Amino acid sequence: MALSRIWSAFIIIAIVAASFTCFFSGSGKDIYSRMVVGKAGDTTHTKQVDSTILSPKIAAALIASKEYKDGDIEYVKTADNKILTFSVQSADGVLSTCKNAVDICIGLIGVMALFMGFMAIADKAGGIRFLSRIIGPFFSKLFPDVPKDHPAFGHMMLNFSANLLGLDNAATPFGIKAMESLQEINPDKETASNAQIMFLCLHASGLTLIPVSIIAARAKLGAANPTDIFIPCMIATFVATIAAMLIVSYKQKIKVFQSIILGWVLGLSSLIALLVIYVNRLSHDNMDSFSGMLSNGIILLIFLLIILGGLYKKIDIFDAFVEGAKGGFETAVKIIPYLVGMLVAISMLRTSGIFDIIINGVTHLFAAIGFDTRFVQGIPTALIKPLSGSGARGMMIDTMKASGPDSFAGRLSCILQGSSDTTFYVVAVYFGAVSIKNTRYSIGAMLLADFVGIVTAIGLAYLFFGSAA
């Protein structure tokens, strides 16, 4: 019911906000068209402006790079020194979003088939249960409803490991397999179990060791030190993960201050801290090389160990792979309706102009109480991240282009991008894969953990880069 209400609220709020813009704004007459048939990158309201009325900031930016972007408004200086301004649509409309949702699922089919196939081999060879026994003492405390040494522990461990290494393509199949394993012991097949909620909230916190894509974007845009956001990103996402664990544990009455839980958390924290210290000493190029070797090398090692385990157990390896791959194909197709529904609602919310209303309101509020409002420039990334990973990445890049990669706003948007995962995408894909209709309090817990990550990211930005312009 919670997901149904949120989904309905997204659509209602989007249409009401769009209608307000349409009837009370001179530039909003085409907003309905943008919401339904528009595409990201479409331009509207093109006009020439007098260069004398431009702000000093925009004028300087146009001299330096011939273009300047302020939210959805873009300024361009032509070859004959004329200044043109136009609106750029930041998100696809409803019809394009439907196509994109299906494309995403089709793109998942190959990856799902590959990893589900290898997991089927590992399952028949006993590898998943072996991994479950290793992680069991820790996970049995966080997931008390899951039987001892259940295969779900192994699947969850693989998912968390893939997330930590930034392997999104591998994390999704592992995570869906974990949800399917947990669904087998779920007494109410349409309602999320405690274990499923704990797993998804920890997954949605997005704990990642090295934010490679963020560092790469900063390097491409000419940051003086592309890796300077590495430690703040790591701290922010770690705090969000701990917050998710504490929030769900409180709701489920799990005692987290047990020796086993504290020991594992402190041990993992120490390991991550050592890796952070080592990686932070590397140059940008060496960091990319180390990250690629570590993450992709571990995937290949897993494949090798699975095959060797299958040979040792004398199972029909290829037949097991094919059977598992079939399940991956079926799962990828199964989530299409859930993903279409969620992404359409998110698209309407993004194209309706509601984010501009929120951002302007936050700016005026904090300006009125005399608070530093520089952080508001990073808010668009924070607002969009729970809804769309690619949208938040685009917003992060736009912020760095507009304000500079080494500006306070540019660095803050990077930390916000790395502080959590895409909550509503996770909900649609993972709950959709097992046909869960009642998500209970999971979305609220995820969003609260996201909020903790956002507040932490803002605080860290002021701590590390408060002197930046």
Side-chain angles (χ1 to χ4, degrees):
M1 286 298 289
L3 182 58
S4 177
R5 292 192 182 101
I6 291 172
W7 186 77
S8 301
F10 280 0
I11 295 176
I12 293 170
I13 291 171
I15 294 175
V16 170
S19 299
F20 182 86
T21 301
C22 179
F23 294 112
F24 297 99
S25 173
S27 60
K29 302 304 180 185
D30 62 342
I31 192 167
Y32 292 151
S33 297
R34 282 183 278 153
M35 288 180 68
V36 178
V37 299
K39 295 180 180 179
D42 285 351
T43 58
T44 56
H45 306 110
T46 302
K47 61 182 179 180
Q48 185 176 338
V49 297
D50 186 352
S51 59
T52 61
I53 66 173
L54 296 176
S55 69
K57 181 179 180 180
I58 296 176
L62 291 175
I63 292 173
S65 64
K66 305 297 183 183
E67 62 180 40
Y68 177 81
K69 191 169 185 181
D70 182 16
D72 292 339
I73 307 299
E74 190 161 336
Y75 298 82
V76 175
K77 189 174 184 179
T78 64
D80 54 356
N81 291 323
K82 293 180 180 178
I83 308 297
L84 300 179
T85 180
F86 48 84
S87 298
V88 181
Q89 184 158 331
S90 60
D92 286 323
V94 168
L95 298 185
S96 293
T97 297
C98 291
K99 179 180 180 299
N100 291 339
V102 176
D103 288 343
I104 290 171
C105 294
I106 291 175
L108 276 175
I109 289 176
V111 177
M112 291 287 293
L114 173 66
F115 284 97
M116 290 289 198
F118 271 99
M119 275 193 286
I121 300 172
D123 193 27
K124 288 191 175 183
I128 299 297
R129 289 193 178 276
F130 175 73
L131 186 59
S132 298
R133 286 197 296 272
I134 294 175
I135 198 68
F138 173 47
F139 274 10
S140 62
K141 301 297 182 182
L142 283 182
F143 303 90
D145 297 335
V146 180
K148 183 181 179 182
D149 298 337
H150 193 274
F153 289 154
H155 296 142
M156 287 189 286
M157 183 61 186
L158 289 171
N159 171 263
F160 293 143
S161 299
N163 255 348
L164 187 66
L165 297 170
L167 298 170
D168 294 337
N169 288 338
T172 300
F174 291 151
I176 288 178
K177 191 63 179 178
M179 286 293 285
E180 290 175 347
S181 297
L182 294 172
Q183 185 72 344
E184 292 173 2
I185 56 174
N186 184 4
D188 186 347
K189 301 301 182 185
E190 293 188 351
T191 301
S193 67
N194 284 349
Q196 287 174 323
I197 293 173
M198 174 65 85
F199 166 65
L200 271 199
C201 288
L202 291 175
H203 170 83
S205 64
L207 181 61
T208 304
L209 179 61
I210 307 174
V212 176
S213 62
I214 299 175
I215 293 171
R218 287 180 53 74
K220 186 176 180 180
L221 292 174
N225 181 9
T227 62
D228 60 4
I229 49 82
F230 170 57
I231 291 180
C233 278
M234 188 68 230
I235 296 173
T237 186
F238 184 75
V239 170
T241 300
I242 295 299
M245 183 183 74
L246 293 175
I247 291 166
V248 179
S249 295
Y250 173 78
K251 192 71 177 178
Q252 297 181 4
K253 295 179 172 58
I254 296 172
K255 297 179 180 179
V256 294
F257 297 105
Q258 302 180 55
S259 58
I260 292 179
I261 294 179
L262 291 177
W264 273 85
V265 170
L266 292 175
L268 290 172
S269 301
S270 300
L271 179 61
I272 291 172
L274 290 174
L275 285 171
V276 167
I277 293 171
Y278 172 73
V279 172
N280 195 50
R281 293 177 178 176
L282 300 176
S283 66
H284 167 58
D285 291 338
N286 288 336
M287 183 180 290
D288 280 347
S289 176
F290 174 77
S291 174
M293 181 180 67
L294 179 65
S295 56
N296 296 312
I298 287 178
I299 286 295
L300 293 177
L301 177 62
I302 290 173
F303 287 172
L304 177 62
L305 293 176
I306 288 174
I307 295 297
L308 292 177
L311 291 173
Y312 177 76
K313 291 291 185 177
K314 298 180 180 180
I315 64 172
D316 188 336
I317 295 175
F318 189 70
D319 183 64
F321 175 84
V322 171
E323 286 301 312
K326 289 179 182 178
F329 175 84
E330 293 168 359
T331 301
V333 173
K334 184 179 180 180
I335 64 177
I336 289 177
Y338 297 90
L339 199 57
V340 168
M342 184 57 70
L343 292 187
V344 163
I346 290 170
S347 166
M348 294 176 69
L349 203 62
R350 291 184 61 192
T351 55
S352 66
I354 190 66
F355 287 152
D356 292 333
I357 296 173
I358 294 174
I359 293 165
N360 289 334
V362 171
T363 302
H364 292 309
L365 173 63
F366 281 92
I369 61 178
F371 196 82
D372 187 329
T373 59
R374 288 182 298 166
F375 77 93
V376 176
Q377 292 176 284
I379 292 298
T381 302
L383 290 176
I384 295 175
K385 187 62 192 284
L387 306 175
S388 168
S390 60
R393 186 175 187 277
M395 189 62 68
M396 174 193 72
I397 292 173
D398 285 345
T399 302
M400 286 195 288
K401 283 182 176 179
S403 302
D406 292 325
S407 66
F408 178 82
R411 285 163 163 157
L412 172 59
S413 64
C414 291
I415 302 171
L416 289 167
Q417 172 71 1
S419 66
S420 62
D421 207 336
T422 48
T423 294
F424 288 99
Y425 174 85
V426 167
V427 167
V429 170
Y430 286 77
F431 279 134
V434 292
S435 302
I436 291 291
K437 296 180 180 178
N438 183 2
T439 60
R440 298 169 66 198
Y441 53 85
S442 57
I443 296 177
M446 291 180 198
L447 292 177
L448 184 54
D450 287 345
F451 178 73
V452 172
I454 290 169
V455 172
T456 302
I458 293 173
L460 290 168
Y462 277 104
L463 179 64
F464 282 83
F465 312 114
S467 60

